[in-house]
Amino acid sequence: MALRPEFHFSSVLEHSALNNNFECFQGNPLNRLNLHRKSIKDVAQHTQSRFLSYRQLKVLFDQEKKQPTWLTYEFLFENNKNTNNEIKLTLDQCEIVLLGIGSRFIADRPSSITNTESTKIDNKLLNKYLLASEPTPDEYIYFALSIPTQFADNLPGTYMDLRSLLPQLSVIDAAICGQGRALLDWHASYQYCGKCGSTTNSLEGGTRRKCTKCNNTIYPRTDPVAITLVIHSDKEHVLLGRKATFPPFMFTCLAGFIEPGESIPEACSREVWEESGVIVDTNLTRYFDSQPWPFLGGQLMIGCFTSAIDETITLHDSELEDCRWFSRDEVGEMIQRSRDVNLDKNDKGLRIPPPFAIAHQLIYNWHSTTPKI
């Protein structure tokens, strides 16, 4: 049983391209056990526990099966030794977080599986399920852990950067790997208390940290980012920009962090004006969708459409290298290039981010069905 009925083992790239309201890193099926998080040491040694290893935030990946590598407690902490065959890795030496309980099929499925039937949830049993603290026989308890760099690592698989790995991942694998990366990144950044500078300890399955001196409790951080597709008053052009650090020929929606005291429409308006000089009507800003983004400290991308009331482009600073109004036909060609997995490396045509980015879905949805704003 899963909190979310969608069990998608198809490619996240293909699924994003076929489902215009789906965002990569959505679709995590795990029950995160918010009501019953025990001491990690008590749960980790459970025979039904499985671990996903990270090293410097790179995830352990089986390149043959095209899946993340899930390992048992016994393999990690009882049988596995370093290259000197002397020192065993211990649980206390790792940063570890509880991801949740879910189907064994997530870790044990054959590599040929691409999709499964939807998992039905009996609403009458849902409350009982939420209160459950033990896995059923057909479930595992899933963890993510970060192995210290001072330990030699001979685990099966290859550590790979999650962002570059996305085209090879399934929908579920991307969501779970993203959850693990975001939490481990947060832990690495909050080893010390922001109030008194003392060390902090991980609590409640890795979902809290507490100062050892002043008892300050720290919670995982998610930074909200407004990402906006600005539509011209003629309804046939949209505003896209690019930074100098972007891949060649790529343009995307304008985006920026939501500041304290700002509403989402106000953040959209401010960011668009700061980056492009274009003025939008906050009353016409409409929410589209959101996307967890487990990079740069962990963000929540909040996608919006809005309309311009002054289309004059003025680059106020050096944040954007270029910013333009693109016609519907031009956008159509950019979408095609971003979805072409066989695109010639020497192709110099303009493009947008790939389908697993919320920017792509914003642009595609405007191009295919003009938003009513």
Side-chain angles (χ1 to χ4, degrees):
M1 188 185 292
L3 283 177
R4 297 188 180 187
E6 302 86 5
F7 249 59
H8 296 295
F9 290 107
S10 55
S11 159
V12 69
L13 186 60
E14 294 175 1
H15 191 74
S16 298
L18 294 172
N19 295 270
N20 302 328
N21 291 307
F22 172 81
E23 315 302 338
C24 180
F25 300 116
Q26 292 179 351
N28 190 328
L30 300 182
N31 175 359
R32 302 194 186 199
L33 300 173
N34 293 50
L35 302 180
H36 283 277
R37 286 172 176 150
K38 298 180 179 179
S39 164
I40 280 198
K41 291 184 179 180
D42 294 336
V43 183
Q45 298 182 51
H46 197 292
T47 58
Q48 290 172 242
S49 291
R50 294 296 181 269
F51 299 82
L52 182 60
S53 175
Y54 291 75
R55 197 174 180 90
Q56 295 182 311
L57 297 179
K58 294 183 177 180
V59 63
L60 191 62
F61 187 72
D62 187 326
Q63 291 182 301
E64 182 178 347
K65 291 184 176 181
K66 302 299 182 185
Q67 299 172 11
T69 302
W70 293 96
L71 302 171
T72 64
Y73 179 91
E74 181 182 21
F75 186 94
L76 274 169
F77 302 110
E78 295 180 6
N79 296 337
N80 190 46
K81 297 182 180 181
N82 71 7
T83 53
N84 296 323
N85 203 34
E86 294 175 352
I87 304 174
K88 288 184 178 180
L89 185 70
T90 66
L91 197 65
D92 291 335
Q93 293 160 337
C94 301
E95 193 69 67
I96 182 169
V97 296
L98 172 64
L99 300 177
I101 285 179
S103 168
R104 286 175 178 250
F105 207 56
I106 294 171
D108 291 347
R109 71 184 187 273
S111 57
S112 59
I113 293 296
T114 57
N115 204 2
T116 67
E117 295 294 329
S118 296
T119 302
K120 303 296 183 181
I121 294 179
D122 185 342
N123 290 326
K124 294 180 180 179
L125 297 177
L126 183 58
N127 188 54
K128 180 179 179 181
Y129 169 63
L130 288 171
L131 295 173
S133 58
E134 295 291 335
T136 63
D138 62 348
E139 292 177 324
Y140 283 149
I141 310 170
Y142 290 99
F143 294 88
L145 81 160
S146 179
I147 295 182
T149 54
Q150 63 266 31
F151 280 85
D153 191 333
N154 59 350
L155 298 179
T158 304
Y159 285 101
M160 301 184 68
D161 175 69
L162 178 58
R163 194 165 185 170
S164 61
L165 191 59
L166 285 177
Q168 301 185 58
L169 292 179
S170 71
V171 170
I172 281 181
D173 289 336
I176 294 175
C177 288
Q179 178 192 0
R181 189 195 189 283
L183 282 170
L184 291 174
D185 191 11
W186 172 74
H187 279 284
S189 301
Y190 288 86
Q191 296 288 309
Y192 298 93
C193 177
K195 288 189 174 181
C196 72
S198 300
T199 57
T200 61
N201 290 331
S202 176
L203 299 173
E204 296 184 39
T207 60
R208 309 282 189 276
R209 295 193 72 87
K210 194 168 186 177
C211 179
T212 56
K213 184 176 181 180
C214 71
N215 291 324
N216 176 40
T217 301
I218 310 166
Y219 297 90
R221 176 172 175 169
T222 298
D223 296 321
V225 175
I227 179 166
T228 311
L229 183 63
V230 183
I231 303 170
H232 196 281
S233 58
D234 65 10
K235 308 296 184 185
E236 290 300 315
H237 293 77
V238 289
L239 185 70
L240 303 175
R242 63 168 280 110
K243 297 181 180 180
T245 56
F246 283 7
F249 315 115
M250 181 176 288
F251 280 76
T252 189
C253 305
L254 306 191
F257 291 102
I258 298 176
E259 296 186 353
E262 277 188 323
S263 67
I264 294 174
E266 288 169 340
C268 293
S269 174
R270 176 185 54 77
E271 281 291 340
V272 168
W273 182 83
E274 288 178 354
E275 294 185 4
S276 70
V278 171
I279 299 174
V280 305
D281 188 344
T282 56
N283 293 321
L284 296 179
T285 301
R286 295 292 180 267
Y287 171 79
F288 166 67
D289 203 351
S290 61
Q291 178 180 39
W293 196 245
F295 308 105
L296 303 174
Q299 301 170 1
L300 181 65
M301 309 295 291
I302 302 171
C304 296
F305 295 109
T306 194
S307 286
I309 54 177
D310 184 342
E311 289 96 1
T312 305
I313 296 175
T314 305
L315 300 184
H316 291 132
D317 53 33
S318 59
E319 184 167 357
L320 291 184
E321 173 183 76
D322 194 1
C323 188
R324 311 179 201 171
W325 289 104
F326 290 89
S327 70
R328 191 175 296 274
D329 289 341
E330 289 173 319
V331 169
E333 294 176 0
M334 296 166 78
I335 291 172
Q336 288 182 347
R337 287 193 186 91
S338 68
R339 295 186 171 210
D340 186 355
V341 295
N342 298 313
L343 187 67
D344 190 324
K345 293 182 179 179
N346 297 318
D347 189 304
K348 296 184 179 180
L350 300 183
R351 64 211 64 182
I352 62 172
F356 50 70
I358 191 172
H360 183 104
Q361 303 292 24
L362 275 163
I363 297 167
Y364 182 87
N365 272 267
W366 169 79
H367 182 262
S368 59
T369 55
T370 304
K372 295 179 180 179
I373 63 171

